[in-house]
């Protein structure tokens, strides 16, 4: 009997994890696996680009978890430089175009994995004239990382402007600082890190200014000015003109679902593919989707949303590969956990912000506390701010945001577990968390926040 064929579109986290996991479960006699990737790399860590461009880690090879050759050795027919251009659901086949010579080919499938990722948001030239000037970079792929490093290597590059102050923007601001540049961050929002409440975003902003990063918030970029040589010279906002020798765009991403949409696969309100818990595209047997091109279920709000993070993409891939490989696995959803940092400032968040809780129709109390991350007398004890949000009535934890120095960011994981378990903040107050002076005060900051929030709920 001929082997079943699995076709994967997209050779990074979700796609190649799915392919590898399916291969682990089924040999080539049972399952043939073809993976199409339009770029040059597979299984790469875009997450490492800020640290590579900042000079802290090597790249690009060090950022590749598994090379094309390693995938091929494991019996995956990986086709680099090959772009999928059409999905024919009726005849169960995918049309591809070779990036090099432009030749087209059809490949049939029994199982199709759509793992096309996301596309970075980039304003159109009619909205922001000059956006295509030489020296303006997005940061999505390892090729982008190489382009940024080339840009940094040019003569006279002293001033960087980062447009967009989400987590990629602030991480790239740090990278530019590490390269010794004068750095300005602009964003049309009033505070950086839109995934935090504004009061917590304000702490990030203050810390960024303290690090010597110039900021302009609440102002949209209107134009990017270039010199006669076509190279970027300045970023012009509603209120100011910021001189720039290099511009980094960190404006967020949207799910890359053009192929899926044209094929008639179901998309959610955030533009991502809709799947069931097994990562099967809703209503389509044998069609699977995961990673940044798919929407996820939020276990706290009960909504689907687009959360483009590598942590989810890898888990989706594992679930898809297990299911195609004859096993059973599900991805239940996310609670919205993310960590990031700008220089020594760590930022963690999980669950709902105040605005998200309000949008979900939830009434809540909040409490914000300041505490050190170690016993106050222990060397290096530094402050962190913890904000906790809990539902009125039930007392259920809804969300936590933490901004502070060493040890702040990953503390949010405790709250992520509490959210997943559906704990009340009252129950959290007696959690058995580890304590020793180098790691925590005797009352961990998360416990202090839980006690204060529980007190507010009792009022
Ligand atoms: C700078 C940066 C920092 C990040 N930091 C973090 C972090 O700290 N933590 C975290 O959890 N996440 C982070 N992320 C997000 C993380 O990288 C993504 O969520 C993850 O890579 C998504 O994996 P994916 O497989 O869904 O999509 P992608 O990694 O985008 O891969 C999709 C692949 O599909 C290919 N492709 C698309 N369309 C086609 C087609 N038609 N034919 C053939 N190939 C196609 C693309 O070339 C691409 O290689 C970061 C991202 C960036 C850019």
């Amino acid at each position: 009997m001929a082997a079943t064929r699995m076709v994967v579109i997209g050779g990074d986290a979700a796609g190649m994890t799915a392919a590898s996991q399916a291969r682990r479960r089924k040999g080539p006699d049972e399952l043939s696996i073809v993976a199409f990737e339009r770029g040059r790399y597979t299984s790469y860590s875009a997450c490492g680009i800020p640290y590579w461009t900042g000079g802290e880690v090597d790249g690009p090879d060090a950022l590749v978890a598994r090379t094309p050759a390693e995938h091929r050795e494991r019996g995956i027919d990986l086709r680099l430089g090959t772009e999928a251009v059409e999905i024919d659901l009726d005849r169960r086949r995918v049309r591809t175009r070779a990036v090099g010579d432009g030749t087209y080919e059809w490949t049939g499938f029994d199982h199709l994995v759509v793992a096309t990722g996301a596309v970075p948001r980039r304003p159109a030239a009619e909205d922001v004239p000059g956006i295509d000037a030489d020296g303006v970079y997005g940061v999505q792929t390892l090729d982008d990382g190489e382009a940024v490093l080339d840009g940094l290597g040019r003569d006279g590059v002293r001033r960087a402007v980062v447009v967009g102050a989400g987590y990629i923007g602030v991480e790239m601001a740090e990278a530019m600082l590490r390269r010794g540049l004068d750095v300005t961050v602009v964003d049309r929002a009033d505070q950086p890190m839109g995934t935090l409440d504004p009061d917590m975003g304000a702490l990030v902003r203050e810390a960024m200014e303290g690090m010597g990063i110039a900021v302009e918030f609440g102002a949209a970029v209107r134009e990017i000015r270039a010199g006669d040589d076509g190279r970027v010279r300045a970023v012009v906002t509603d209120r100011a003109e910021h001189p720039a020798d290099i511009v980094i765009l960190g404006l967020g991403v949207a799910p890359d679902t053009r192929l899926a949409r044209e094929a008639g696969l179901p998309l959610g309100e955030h533009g991502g593919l809709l799947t069931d818990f097994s990562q099967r595209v809703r209503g389509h047997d044998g069609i699977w989707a995961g990673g940044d091109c798919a929407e996820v279920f939020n276990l706290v709000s009960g909504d689907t949303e687009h959360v483009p993070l590598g942590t989810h993409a890898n888990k989706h891939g594992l679930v898809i590969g297990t299911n195609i490989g004859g096993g059973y696995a599900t991805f239940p959803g996310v609670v919205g956990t993310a960590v990031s940092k700008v220089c020594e400032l760590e930022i963690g968040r999980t669950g709902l912000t105040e605005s998200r809780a309000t949008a979900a129709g939830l009434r809540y109390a909040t409490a914000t506390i300041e505490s050190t991350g170690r016993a106050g007398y222990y060397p290096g004890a530094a402050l962190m701010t913890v904000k906790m949000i809990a539902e009125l009535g039930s007392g259920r934890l809804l969300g936590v945001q933490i901004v502070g120095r060493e040890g702040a960011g990953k503390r949010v994981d405790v709250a992520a577990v509490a959210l997943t378990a559906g704990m009340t903040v009252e129950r959290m107050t007696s959690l058995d968390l580890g304590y020793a002076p180098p790691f925590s005060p005797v009352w961990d900051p998360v416990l202090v926040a839980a006690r204060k929030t529980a007190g507010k709920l009792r009022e």
Side-chain angles (χ1 to χ4, degrees), residues 43-340:
S43 304
Y44 51 91
S45 170
C47 317
I49 293 173
Y51 310 103
W52 170 33
T53 52
E56 280 182 280
V57 302
D58 288 337
D61 295 343
L63 302 185
V64 174
R66 199 167 278 176
T67 62
E70 288 169 320
H71 283 301
R72 288 185 185 121
E73 273 164 30
R74 286 172 169 80
I76 295 168
D77 177 1
L78 176 68
R79 306 199 194 157
L80 294 180
T82 308
E83 181 173 30
V85 292
E86 187 182 343
I87 300 169
D88 178 350
L89 290 178
D90 291 337
R91 298 176 69 178
R92 294 185 89 74
R93 57 185 190 161
V94 172
R95 191 170 189 230
T96 54
R97 188 181 68 86
V99 175
D101 61 15
T103 51
Y104 288 88
E105 198 181 338
W106 286 102
T107 305
F109 61 80
D110 300 292
H111 291 281
L112 176 67
V113 181
V114 184
T116 44
V119 275
R121 293 205 170 88
R122 195 178 173 107
E126 47 281 21
D127 297 329
V128 177
I131 191 78
D132 297 322
D134 187 12
V136 179
Y137 302 98
V139 279
Q140 175 79 1
T141 63
L142 296 187
D143 287 331
D144 295 335
E146 252 161 0
V148 170
L149 284 170
D150 283 349
L152 286 170
R154 288 172 167 185
D155 288 341
V157 174
R158 289 186 298 106
R159 296 158 305 189
V161 174
V162 177
V163 181
Y167 82 93
I168 291 178
V170 301
E171 288 176 5
M172 287 306 294
E174 172 181 342
M176 296 299 108
L177 267 190
R178 285 185 183 280
R179 290 287 177 183
L181 273 60
D182 293 337
V183 182
T184 302
V185 174
V186 300
D187 196 309
R188 68 174 165 210
D190 290 331
Q191 303 295 347
M193 299 297 295
T195 52
L196 301 179
D197 281 323
D199 51 341
M200 297 297 281
L203 300 178
V204 179
R205 172 193 186 142
E206 272 166 36
M208 287 169 70
E209 288 174 314
M211 292 162 196
I213 298 173
V215 298
E216 190 193 6
F217 289 108
V221 170
R222 295 293 168 208
E223 184 186 346
I224 300 211
R225 279 204 184 126
D228 293 340
D229 56 359
R231 278 181 64 181
V232 64
R233 290 286 186 278
V235 172
V236 182
T237 69
D238 294 330
R239 291 192 297 255
E241 178 167 332
H242 302 284
D245 306 309
I246 185 167
V247 174
I248 307 286
L249 302 178
L251 295 167
V253 296
D256 185 349
T257 45
R258 187 184 58 81
L259 282 183
R261 191 180 55 244
E262 287 171 3
L265 293 171
L267 303 182
E269 62 175 297
H270 306 283
L273 275 152
L274 291 177
T275 68
D276 61 18
F277 289 119
S278 69
Q279 294 303 128
R280 187 188 67 116
V281 173
R282 284 191 204 165
H284 290 269
D285 278 340
I287 314 286
W288 311 80
D292 286 5
C293 65
E295 297 194 0
V296 289
F297 181 68
N298 185 307
L299 295 162
V300 188
S301 67
D303 296 329
T304 56
E305 56 186 17
H306 185 229
V307 187
L309 286 175
T311 176
H312 308 320
N314 279 283
K315 290 175 190 130
H316 289 168
L318 196 71
V319 167
I320 293 169
T322 302
N323 290 325
I324 293 177
Y328 172 67
T330 57
F331 182 81
V334 305
V335 292
T337 311
V339 284
S340 183

